[in-house]
Amino acid sequence: MSEIVNHYINGRIVESSSGRQGNVFNPATGEIVRQVAFANTAEVDAAVQAARGAFASWAATPPLSRARVMFRLKSLLEDNMDELAKVVTEEHGKTHVDAKGSITRGIEVIEFACGMPQLLKGEVTEDVGAGIDAYCIRQPLGVCVGITPFNFPAMVPLWMAPIAIAAGNTFILKPSEKDPSFSLRLAELFKEAGVPDGVFNVLQGDKDAVNGLLEHPDVAAVSFVGATPTAEYIYRTGCAHNKRVQALGGAKNHMVILPDADMDQASDAIMGAAYGSAGERCMAISVAVAVGDGVADQLIERLAPRVRALKVGPGTDPEVEMGPLVSKDHYDKVMGYIDAGVREGATLAVDGRDLSLQGYENGYFMGGSIFDNVKTDMSIYREEIFGPVLSVVRAPDYKAATKMVNEHEFGNGTAIFTRDGDAARHFANSVQIGMVGINVPIPVPMAFHSFGGWKRSLFGDHHMHGMEGVRFYTKMKAVTSRWPTGIRSGADFSIPTLG
C-alpha cells in the first residue's frame, strides 16, 4: 500500500477514518506516488474544535511573541528550502528553481507578518469630550480557513496563514488534493517554530471537506484561491453562513505591446510570463495584444523559434525550463483548448501538442503553443486555459487594445510595454484591472502591498497579504472611556454627542 497523506490536527498527524482517499501523481512520470485522505464530517469538526480550543490562549499571546514565532518559521523554511522545493516539484511538476522561487515569495509574506506588533497598532484620540478618551484597536477573528490551489502548494498557504496567525487567529489549511504533501511539512515547521498545538491545522480532502468548513458555525473567515466558478461558490456559500470571505478566482491576463516598445525586452518578458510553470499561474500572460501594423509579426518572429526550443522535461532536471502539467485531466483540458482554437479559425503558429519525451512517455508534458489572429469571441480568448498557450491578438490602436482589456470578464493582472510615459500612466490609471505592470510582465505585488484582482477575479472586499490581509484577518473595536472625577452632572437621556 502506498503512503497516505493524512490530516494534521492539534499538533499531530491524524489518520483518517473516512475510508475515502485520492491518488497523488508525479506528473513527470504519470505514476501514483502516494494517496491523500479525504476528511469526513467528524474530522472537519475535530480540526475546527482544535483550532477553536487554541484560539483564546493564542489571541492573548503578546503580538511580539507571535512575531518571534514568525521569525523562527522564516529561518526554518530557509534552512529546509531544497527539501521543500523537492516536495513541490514531485507532486506539482514545476522546475526545482521555480519551486524555490515560489517558497521565497511565501517567505516574504512571513517577513511582513514579523512586523505584526506595528501593523496592529490602533488609533487614540484624547479628550473627544470633557474627560473622555476614544481609541480603536484591531482584534483577531477566531478560526480562519485557507483553501488553496494546486499551482502554488507552498506560496499561497504562506500568503494566508502567517498573517492570520501573527494577528492572533488560529488556522486550518485545506490544500489541493493534487499536491498535499507540502502542507504536512509546513505544519511540522510551524510547530518547530513554536506555534502551540491547535493553532495551525491541516485538513486533507475534497469538496466534502470544503463544504464542511464553509458551513461550520465555528469558522469565522475563509480565504480561497482557485478557479472563478469555485471562487464564486466559496464566496456565496461562506457568506450565507455568516463568514468573512475573500475568494480569488481566475484570470486572462493581457500584455499590451505598443509600437514603440523594446521588442526584445517584450519577447523576453512574454517567454517567462507565458511559459513559466507551464502557464499554470493566475498571473501568467496568456494574451499578447500587439498594437499597430507589424508589431504582431515582429513578436511572433522573435517568439516562435524560442518557444519551439523550450527545454521541456522533469522539474528535477536543472537544465529544464518548463515541466509537465499537473495532471492527466488538466493536460487533456489544455489540449482541448488548442484543438478548439484551431477549429475556431485562429492560426496555430507554434503547435506544442506532439511533444514526446523518451523515458517520460506517461508524463503530462506538452510544448509551448502560440496562436495568432485570435479574435475576442474565441474560447481561447474568453476562457482561462491555464497552460503553456499564448494568444496573440492584433489591435489597430491603443484605444482598441485597452477596450479589450477592460471588457474582459476577468480583471486579475495586466501589463503594458512601451517607452511612452504618457501612455503608460494613462493605462495604469484607467485600466479596470487589479494589478498592473509597466514594462513588468507579472506584476505580483511585494508582500507589504496587497494581491488581488477586480471583476470576476475576486469575490469579497479584501485583497490578500499586505495591509489588506491584516484588515481581513482582524476586526475593529472602538472604545470610548471616562474615569470618575468626582464631578457629576446627572443623567442625560439624549444621544451622546461628546461635544
Side-chain angles (χ1 to χ4, degrees), residues 248-292:
L248 280 64
K252 198 71 178 180
N253 304 314
H254 297 65
M255 179 171 145
V256 176
I257 304 100
L258 297 188
D260 70 332
D262 182 324
M263 292 300 161
D264 290 328
Q265 181 190 45
S267 60
D268 285 345
I270 290 173
M271 286 300 300
Y275 302 104
S277 197
E280 293 174 326
R281 295 172 176 160
C282 68
M283 288 296 284
I285 292 297
S286 53
V287 179
V289 184
V291 179

Side-chain angles (χ1 to χ4, degrees), residues 64-108:
L64 183 58
S65 297
R66 300 195 300 254
R68 286 171 177 161
V69 171
M70 293 299 123
F71 274 107
R72 290 192 289 271
L73 177 64
K74 170 186 178 294
S75 295
L76 288 169
L77 285 164
E78 291 170 338
D79 292 344
N80 292 275
M81 177 74 77
D82 280 324
E83 173 218 336
L84 296 169
K86 182 179 178 181
V87 171
V88 172
T89 295
E90 183 184 26
E91 293 183 351
H92 175 269
K94 66 178 69 195
T95 65
H96 188 74
V97 67
D98 190 30
K100 289 177 66 174
S102 70
I103 296 169
T104 298
R105 292 307 301 260
I107 289 172
E108 290 169 1

Side-chain angles (χ1 to χ4, degrees), residues 310-474:
L310 274 171
K311 295 177 182 178
V312 181
T316 52
D317 184 340
E319 300 298 319
V320 160
E321 296 170 315
M322 191 173 82
L325 296 177
V326 72
S327 69
K328 181 62 165 61
D329 287 346
H330 190 57
Y331 172 90
D332 290 342
K333 176 184 175 184
V334 175
M335 291 288 277
Y337 272 114
I338 300 174
D339 295 341
V342 173
R343 287 195 307 271
E344 291 171 338
T347 303
L348 188 54
V350 178
D351 187 349
R353 291 175 294 182
D354 296 330
L355 181 72
S356 179
L357 296 179
Q358 185 175 359
Y360 294 93
E361 290 83 1
N362 296 321
Y364 313 133
F365 293 98
M366 66 171 57
S369 294
I370 302 176
F371 278 106
D372 191 10
N373 298 304
V374 175
K375 307 301 181 186
T376 58
D377 60 348
M378 294 179 178
S379 63
I380 57 171
Y381 175 83
R382 297 193 320 271
E383 300 172 20
E384 183 178 40
I385 299 175
F386 221 60
V389 182
L390 177 70
S391 294
V392 177
V393 182
R394 296 172 182 245
D397 52 37
Y398 170 81
K399 182 178 180 181
T402 55
K403 185 172 184 286
M404 286 183 202
V405 178
N406 285 335
E407 289 184 350
H408 203 284
E409 68 170 319
F410 295 128
N412 209 44
T414 190
I416 186 168
F417 273 64
T418 181
R419 292 185 174 95
D420 187 333
D422 179 54
R425 184 177 185 277
H426 180 271
F427 185 80
N429 289 345
S430 63
V431 74
Q432 299 300 297
I433 305 292
M435 293 169 282
V436 181
I438 298 173
N439 297 315
V440 174
I442 306 178
V444 176
M446 294 297 291
F448 38 86
H449 291 282
S450 298
F451 179 102
W454 289 9
K455 297 184 283 190
R456 289 182 60 76
S457 292
L458 173 69
F459 298 87
D461 297 325
H462 292 89
H463 290 196
M464 203 160 282
H465 62 65
M467 278 309 299
E468 280 283 278
V470 176
R471 283 187 279 268
F472 178 78
Y473 287 117
T474 57

